Amino acid sequence: MIKEADGKTRLCGLIGYPVGHTLSPVIHNTLAEAMGKNLVYVPFSVEKDLAAAVRGAYALNILGMNVTVPYKKDVMEALVEVDEAAVRIGAVNTLVRMEGGYKGYNTDYLGLERAMKEENIQIAGRDVVVLGAGGAANAVVYLCAKAGAKQIYILNRTVKKAQGLAEQVAAYFPECPVTAMETRDYDKLPDRAMTCIQATSIGLFPNVDAAVIEDPAFYRRIDQAVDIIYNPGETKFMRLVKEQGGRVINGLKMLLYQGVTAFELWNDVSVDADTCYKVQKLLEQELQK
Ligand code: ATR
């Protein structure tokens, strides 16, 4: 964080409710200091009247905002422009100041893309299983289709939600086959090597002894995987992947890079790998507290 605010200090922040547990101030205040930006990032607890909060942010000359639960969808109505990927995902998590208001982006999917590239977890040309069909899964499935998955399987407890998501993606990426299935039908998946992205909330702290699918037979086909959960650092899903010989990462780098990408959009900079690594280490320390 910058040591002292002065007349030129810019403000960025997070709109959500609740916001008390966010790690975003760690990300952005560390980046501001490392990149020599006179900028402070603070959480804003917005209980109601989202549109007024966005208007107020603009009037106060706030440079950029992140948006979290429960406003990632509703915030779109308060923006002057929304990036095409964010429209297709149906969620905005980053607001970038422009003439007359803010433009909305989705850096969650961009963060996941960066994390997977860095860890060499492949989507292009592969069969990909996405577990979950909620808000987070929307960004995951969009990325899989955009990045050229050979075939996407969306598995969800509520199959209707998986079907809705599959139809949404098929409309934008007609060349990418998407199949919706009920999670318990996992044994009907073809028996070949697959990439899997865990996008349900199962396994999240404090329910650390749960995984969306417990059967080791499912994990035999998973050779590369991501759990978008980062707390705990190793979920039961991750252990199950490893036990069958697969390579798996948690969601910490997705969190890191959604933040880095937002910071880059706000400040028109490119954050170097050493700085990213420094922020990652700080996030790990925070999570151990
Ligand atoms: P998020 O924004 O984190 O994605 P969400 O939109 O509420 O949160 O989605 C949560 C996901 O976890 C959904 O896919 C949900 O399945 P349903 O659509 O069937 O509700 C899944 N999920 C949460 N708790 C679950 C449970 N106990 N068993 C199976 N799936 C669960």
Side-chain angles (χ1 to χ4, degrees), residues 132-137 156-158 161 199-202 212:
N156 200 44
R157 171 180 61 181
T158 314
K161 275 165 73 179
T200 75
S201 45
I202 304 173
V212 57

Side-chain angles (χ1 to χ4, degrees), residues 17 21 47 52 69 75 88 92 116 121 191 217 230 242 267:
Y17 190 79
H21 289 104
E47 196 174 341
V69 180
V75 76
R88 291 178 170 195
V92 159
M116 291 180 76
I121 306 237
D191 198 10
Y230 53 81
K242 284 183 190 171
N267 294 289

